Amino acid sequence: MKTKNPVRRSFLLLLLGGVIGYGLGVGLDVLVTGQLDFAAPLTGMFALLGTSVAYFFGLVGYWGITRGLVWQVIGTLAGGLFVSGIRVLMGLEAFGGFFFSEPAWVFGGLVGGLSFLVGVGAVTDWYKWAKGEPTSEHHHDPEGYVKYFGVSLDHKVIGIQYTVTALLLMGIGGLFAMIFRTELAASQLQFLTTTFRAFDQNGLQFYNTLMSLHGIIMIISILLGVAGMINYLVPLLIGAQDMAFPRLNAFSFWIAVPAAVLLVSALFLGGFDTGWTGYPPLSARSPVGIQMFFLGVFLAGWSSILGGLNLLATVVRMRARGMTAFRMPIFAWAAIATSLISLTATQFIGLSFQLVMFQRLLGMGFFDPTKGGNPVLFQHMFWFYSHPAVYVFVLPGLGIISELLPVFVRKPLYGYRWVAMSSLGIALVGFLVWAHHMFASGMNEYLRVPFMYSTLLVAVPTGVKFFSWVATLWKGKITTPTPMLFVLGAILVFLVGGLTGPPHGTISVDLHLTDTYFVVGHFHDTMFGGYVFPFFAALYYWFPKATGRRMNETLGKLHFWLMTPSFFVLTFAMMRVGLLGMRRRIADYDPLLGFDLSHLIMTIAGYLIFTSVVIFVYNFFHSLKHGELAEGNLWNSRSPEWLVPSPMPVHNYDQAFEVVGEPYDYGLDGSRYVQFEDEKIKDIEG
């Protein structure tokens, strides 16, 4: 390539890699099927891999993520061919409808994911230790943007890697939503018709795949975004130089990358039609794509478990001097509660998906009633993690709200200790409410009432946070830069999500609302209010700390004022049609129901939200080079990371500090939170 611009070069290579990958897929499909099919599943798979490898090769060359993706492709093919060879020796058919047979795809996908970790270098140091070779305590990262595409042991780099990956997945999941939301804009099938064909799916099947992938990709993006905030912020907030286990931290991020590739690959292997929950018996009969879904979530689960372990060790062992439990920032408390859930509950969703995989591959009958299994057992295992997981999504966001409110209100956080304990209370009670998702499942009736009461009990610790926020706002000197706008938006949206939750926890009402659009509206309010709005608030607030530049305030406020009313319109319309009987997860609806106008309004609102996020993405990347320089304590914060230059030094704090006061005593004369060593020496000499 003659161009010296790496971004331009990467996009040119992306086009070339896509063409080569597509042609390779067509050729392999012809060899297996003997027919020329330009819409065969294999074409999309190889086009995806070709574009990904070529794009990153253009950015960073054959290093880091590029090398990892190449190893993943090679590992997948090697694993698939290995199983295919065994099948030949056993007298079974070597290939299937998607080139490899289902067992070959599953084993190949697992080998490919592990091969990615070897190729990218996430296990290099551990391998050297196993051979008895010494390694450097601190790795030197390359200069510039290149360091974000390879293995780094710096928690700040890893936090940014998590965050950007989360934004990328959010964009992919949002794009899928826009496609099927466009189909729903009017009754009757528009373009996803029965004559539509892509990757061995007709229009209705493709709708189901997009809808299902939208859900799970968004959930994985939220998990990665939460990990990004925790990884970047917690060591800075508690005065640590890094996470307790830097190599494990890097491993936790990089295992999520092949997991994301596996999830997206499900689109090209027949898709799946189960929604993001993967319930059997439907998931036991779905195409091969469901196995990629299971495998991707399984690998992403390891990221969540190991990240939670690392965070707990970091907070317990690496806090600054004087930072007792009730002098920690609220976000650290939220991260502790989140990590406790991730560490102890994630195994259940991994195990439930693994059992369905084994049922499909080995004929086991875990959830097959004809073999003595019980499909309701899957739901118990799935929701034992997946409802606490909702608090994994929202607790860090609620922590961000409590962290930022005092800064822009210039008042102490009201009821600090109660707010800190409420995070642990939500995490604890969250383990006792899972079966409210199953009131209509056929579960034993005597279990319904206890779960109804435990579900309503969650409102107590959540209400503590709301009372704290309102009391903190009361008579405060409120300023509204972009981060504060998103904090206020988060409170309002999460309030709607919270108020629409108890009806689902009440048996008599939930039996009528189950699987309607009311559930969809409630869930989106909870996720946007508890995660998306606080996530954007955190990005606008700490972007100057990470980059040394501010994002454009005008574009930031345009993002907020375009997204917020559009989102309320979208979710209120969802809940309205849900109350009128509109079922979720369907590609078409009867025009006589009178829902056409509501769906058109929802679609327009969805496009406005998508546009607002595009504005944010432009603002984010444009500001990296052209944003206003951010000097000093930009937000007049008491938090220690704002008392040192931006961006942060490599090892965070060149001088140790001691916590000498309360974290949120804003507006109180003479109060201070931390004291650095040189300030302490001056005080002694004075």
Side-chain angles (χ1 to χ4, degrees), residues 36-60:
L36 184 62
D37 184 358
F38 293 105
L42 214 57
T43 60
M45 172 71 81
F46 275 87
L48 169 69
L49 296 173
T51 54
S52 301
V53 171
Y55 176 78
F56 289 114
F57 182 80
L59 279 178
V60 298

Side-chain angles (χ1 to χ4, degrees), residues 18-39:
V19 171
I20 294 174
Y22 179 81
L24 182 60
V26 171
L28 287 174
D29 188 70
V30 169
L31 289 175
V32 174
T33 64
Q35 297 178 351
L36 184 62
D37 184 358
F38 293 105

Side-chain angles (χ1 to χ4, degrees), residues 398 461-471 490-492 494-496 498:
L398 306 186
T462 308
V464 168
K465 293 186 182 294
F466 272 100
F467 282 121
S468 168
W469 298 336
V470 173
I491 294 173
L492 292 175
F494 191 70
L495 177 63
V496 175

Side-chain angles (χ1 to χ4, degrees), residues 486-631:
F486 276 95
V487 166
L488 295 174
I491 294 173
L492 292 175
V493 174
F494 191 70
L495 177 63
V496 175
L499 292 176
T500 54
H504 298 294
T506 307
I507 300 166
S508 57
V509 180
D510 183 70
L511 292 176
H512 295 278
L513 295 179
T514 292
D515 279 337
T516 68
Y517 259 74
F518 193 91
V519 178
V520 180
H522 158 71
F523 188 66
H524 280 77
D525 273 323
T526 305
M527 290 299 97
F528 266 71
Y531 167 76
V532 175
F533 275 82
F535 183 57
F536 284 130
L539 288 174
Y540 282 106
Y541 183 80
W542 277 287
F543 183 88
K545 177 52 56 181
T547 66
R549 295 181 180 272
R550 292 185 63 171
M551 279 198 269
N552 184 280
E553 274 287 299
T554 302
L555 291 178
K557 290 180 177 178
L558 177 61
H559 171 201
F560 173 81
W561 288 112
L562 190 59
M563 186 172 84
T564 306
S566 301
F567 182 76
F568 277 120
V569 168
L570 174 68
T571 55
F572 283 142
M574 284 178 171
M575 287 185 277
R576 175 186 176 274
V577 297
L579 289 173
L580 293 175
M582 176 73 186
R583 314 304 296 175
R584 63 175 175 170
R585 298 177 179 173
I586 57 173
D588 193 18
Y589 49 94
D590 192 333
L592 296 179
L593 292 172
F595 295 153
D596 285 71
L597 179 60
S598 295
H599 274 288
L600 178 61
I601 292 172
M602 280 189 266
T603 304
I604 294 172
Y607 271 99
L608 290 175
I609 295 169
F610 191 82
T611 302
S612 73
V613 176
V614 171
I615 292 171
F616 162 78
V617 171
Y618 169 79
N619 192 3
F620 184 92
F621 287 102
H622 183 264
S623 299
L624 289 174
K625 278 192 173 183
H626 306 288
E628 175 189 347
L629 290 175
E631 299 177 351

